[in-house]
């Protein structure tokens, strides 16, 4: 696949054992959701060996692995997994900017997890229950929503513990919630191929967040949820500064040794 | 490679071969007991109905084609490829000439798919089995049962982390015998 090219317009030749490929808007939807999962998976994997406690190291790696599984399933509906993950240029990635944000301190990561996993659980639930969404994506959604519930629970528990904790942990959690907030505007931008009631999903998301933040003695930030200078956003292939560095680290091995196996 | 055999294996032999393949990460359980072995179809094509994938070294009469469906416990389960390889090896050793392993997602796997025998084996291996999820449609409402320590049987146990050595397990500690243990968390 040429770097930067749009999803394939016609089905690729498949052997009888491979599932049929998605095309058009359905492929775009799979790619967008797959990119969200892959990039957040990579960010969480950066914590491996660096988390504040061994249990947390294992937890973040497990969540990362779940997301990687989602990404692989979605990419395999569109084309070759490795080519899609390792051979696309920055502008060809359609993930929202929230998931590419650097890990920051632990509270920043938890804030990103809270915003994303609450939204993802709501989205997978809606996709799984909507007959208008492509069947292979619905099947994945029905599977993934059960795992995502554990991700949401993990972020939820940490938000309570940090927010309603010491002065230091509360300050850091509040900062994380504020810093990540300006990247949440894309979470409920309509995705081609997934005809869902996005404003209703966003309302559910806000209610859930207000509940957990109130219990954590915090409040939802009041500022804009998108930066004026982002000019569109991740869904259009426009990314923030740190994304290029993330791709360089994620892709360099595959690009240096094409087709390598072990 | 095909081992020369006097007679092709019967269906029961092939099913038994697939049913006894252990899970790569929880080897005390078989794939069947874990509930990830979904379907197994056996057909014995003759040259009339299929000539496309005829292995050159197998006489037509001995052709036994097995198609297996497996489902991942978690979407990111890294053991899936090993499961497919192990199934293929076991079925070929049992006399299958052609094995196809397919991954299916729907219906999504649940810990309720672990058999009663599988739960006993988990417990015996020091891993607390999952509680019923109560997802069964029209069934009774699920109760929140306590999780017993698989070592001393105490119900006084505490969650340490929802994520443990593999994606499907949580880490707990028994407050009676103080031993940490894995618990296959409900999904």
């Amino acid at each position: 696949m040429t770097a930067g090219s749009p999803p394939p317009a016609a089905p690729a030749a498949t052997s009888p054992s491979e599932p049929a490929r998605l095309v058009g808007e359905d492929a775009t939807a799979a790619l967008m959701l797959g990119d969200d999962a892959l990039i957040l998976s990579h960010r969480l994997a950066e914590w491996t060996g660096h988390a504040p406690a061994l249990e947390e190291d294992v937890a973040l790696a497990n969540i990362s692995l779940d997301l990687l599984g989602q990404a692989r399933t979605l990419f395999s509906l569109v084309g070759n997994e490795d080519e899609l993950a390792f051979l696309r240029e920055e502008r060809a990635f359609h993930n929202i900017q929230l998931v590419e944000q650097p890990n920051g301190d632990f509270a920043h990561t938890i804030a990103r997890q809270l915003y994303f996993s609450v939204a993802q659980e709501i989205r997978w639930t809606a996709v799984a229950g909507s007959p208008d969404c492509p069947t292979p994506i619905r099947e994945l959604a029905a599977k993934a929503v059960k795992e995502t519930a554990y991700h949401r629970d993990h972020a939820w528990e940490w938000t309570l513990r940090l927010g309603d904790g010491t002065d230091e942990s509360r300050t850091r959690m509040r900062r994380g919630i504020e810093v990540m907030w300006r990247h949440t505007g894309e979470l409920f931008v309509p995705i081609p191929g997934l005809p869902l009631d996005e404003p209703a999903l966003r309302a559910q998301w806000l209610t859930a967040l207000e509940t957990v933040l109130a219990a954590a003695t915090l409040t939802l930030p009041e500022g804009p949820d998108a930066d004026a200078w982002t000019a569109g956003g991740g869904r259009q292939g426009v990314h923030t500064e740190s994304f290029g560095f993330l791709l360089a680290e994620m892709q360099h091995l595959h690009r240096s040794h094409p087709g390598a196996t072990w | 490679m095909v081992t020369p055999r006097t007679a092709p294996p019967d269906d029961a032999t092939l099913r038994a071969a697939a049913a006894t393949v252990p899970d790569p990460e929880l080897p005390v359980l078989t794939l069947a007991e874990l509930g990830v072995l979904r379907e197994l179809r056996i057909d014995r094509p003759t040259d009339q109905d299929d000539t496309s994938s005829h292995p050159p070294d197998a006489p037509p009469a001995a052709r036994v084609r097995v198609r297996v469906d497996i489902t991942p416990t978690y979407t990111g389960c890294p053991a899936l490829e090993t499961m497919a390889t192990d199934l293929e090896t076991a079925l070929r050793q049992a006399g299958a000439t052609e094995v196809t392993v397919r991954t299916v997602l729907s219906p999504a796997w649940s810990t309720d798919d672990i058999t009663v025998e599988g739960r006993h084996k988990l417990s015996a291996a020091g891993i607390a089995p999952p509680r019923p999820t109560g997802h069964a449609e029209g069934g009774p409402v699920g109760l929140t049962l306590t999780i017993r320590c698989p070592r001393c049987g105490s119900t006084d146990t505490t969650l340490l982390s929802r994520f443990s050595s593999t994606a499907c397990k949580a880490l707990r500690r028994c407050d009676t015998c103080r031993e940490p243990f894995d618990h296959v968390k409900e999904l």
Side-chain angles (χ1 to χ4, degrees), chain A residues 29-132:
Chain A
L31 209 51
M32 287 179 170
L33 297 170
D35 285 348
D36 286 350
L38 175 71
I39 300 306
L40 186 56
S41 166
H42 188 83
R43 277 292 185 220
L44 291 173
E46 291 173 0
W47 273 108
T48 309
H50 301 279
L54 183 61
E55 288 80 2
E56 213 35 49
D57 220 84
V58 172
L60 293 171
N62 266 299
I63 296 171
S64 170
L65 186 62
D66 287 345
L67 290 166
L68 186 63
Q70 294 177 16
R72 291 189 60 182
T73 305
L74 289 161
F75 286 171
S76 70
L77 298 173
V78 178
N80 178 283
E81 290 172 41
D82 282 354
E83 286 178 10
L84 288 167
F86 299 128
L87 298 179
R88 275 184 296 159
E89 304 283 345
E90 181 172 339
R91 291 297 296 261
F93 277 86
H94 299 284
N95 56 279
I96 56 173
Q97 293 176 355
L98 174 67
V99 297
E100 75 203 31
Q101 294 312 306
N103 286 334
D105 65 17
F106 186 67
H108 275 70
T109 292
I110 292 303
R112 193 184 58 203
Q113 280 304 104
L114 182 71
Y115 289 143
F116 185 78
S117 60
V118 171
Q120 203 193 28
E121 187 184 17
I122 290 169
R123 180 167 301 285
W124 285 145
T125 305
V127 170
S130 163
D132 298 327

Side-chain angles (χ1 to χ4, degrees), chain A residues 16-253:
Chain A
S17 60
E18 282 180 37
R21 297 261 159 95
L22 296 177
V23 294
E25 283 193 343
D26 293 354
T28 305
L31 209 51
M32 287 179 170
L33 297 170
D35 285 348
D36 286 350
L38 175 71
I39 300 306
L40 186 56
S41 166
H42 188 83
R43 277 292 185 220
L44 291 173
E46 291 173 0
W47 273 108
T48 309
H50 301 279
L54 183 61
E55 288 80 2
E56 213 35 49
D57 220 84
V58 172
L60 293 171
N62 266 299
I63 296 171
S64 170
L65 186 62
D66 287 345
L67 290 166
L68 186 63
Q70 294 177 16
R72 291 189 60 182
T73 305
L74 289 161
F75 286 171
S76 70
L77 298 173
V78 178
N80 178 283
E81 290 172 41
D82 282 354
E83 286 178 10
L84 288 167
F86 299 128
L87 298 179
R88 275 184 296 159
E89 304 283 345
E90 181 172 339
R91 291 297 296 261
F93 277 86
H94 299 284
N95 56 279
I96 56 173
Q97 293 176 355
L98 174 67
V99 297
E100 75 203 31
Q101 294 312 306
N103 286 334
D105 65 17
F106 186 67
H108 275 70
T109 292
I110 292 303
R112 193 184 58 203
Q113 280 304 104
L114 182 71
Y115 289 143
F116 185 78
S117 60
V118 171
Q120 203 193 28
E121 187 184 17
I122 290 169
R123 180 167 301 285
W124 285 145
T125 305
V127 170
S130 163
D132 298 327
C133 294
T135 305
I137 301 183
R138 292 183 64 199
E139 289 183 356
L140 171 72
K143 172 89 192 151
V145 70
K146 301 201 283 178
E147 300 163 9
T148 309
Y150 279 102
H151 306 174
R152 182 257 302 146
D153 189 60
H154 172 263
W156 194 285
E157 294 290 327
W158 270 113
T159 301
L160 295 178
R161 188 163 160 193
L162 296 175
D164 193 15
T166 63
D167 285 346
E168 176 74 13
S169 73
R170 184 170 187 277
T171 303
R172 286 176 184 254
M173 193 65 224
R174 196 184 59 217
R175 202 184 295 146
I177 288 288
E178 277 165 12
V179 167
M180 294 295 172
W181 175 253
R182 73 180 71 127
H183 302 288
T184 57
E186 280 187 278
L187 277 168
F188 297 98
V189 170
I191 295 176
L194 299 183
L196 301 170
D197 184 354
E198 298 289 340
L201 301 186
R202 184 165 189 274
Q204 277 184 53
W205 179 75
L206 285 172
T207 305
L209 287 179
E210 277 162 5
T211 307
V212 62
L213 290 177
T217 74
L218 299 168
T219 49
L220 215 51
E222 284 172 3
D225 60 5
D227 275 335
W229 49 266
T230 52
R235 290 283 186 243
Q236 285 79 45
V238 179
H239 296 283
T240 51
E241 187 185 355
S242 66
F243 189 56
F245 295 95
L246 180 153
L247 283 191
E249 187 177 304
M250 188 176 82
Q251 297 185 333
H252 92 269
L253 190 70

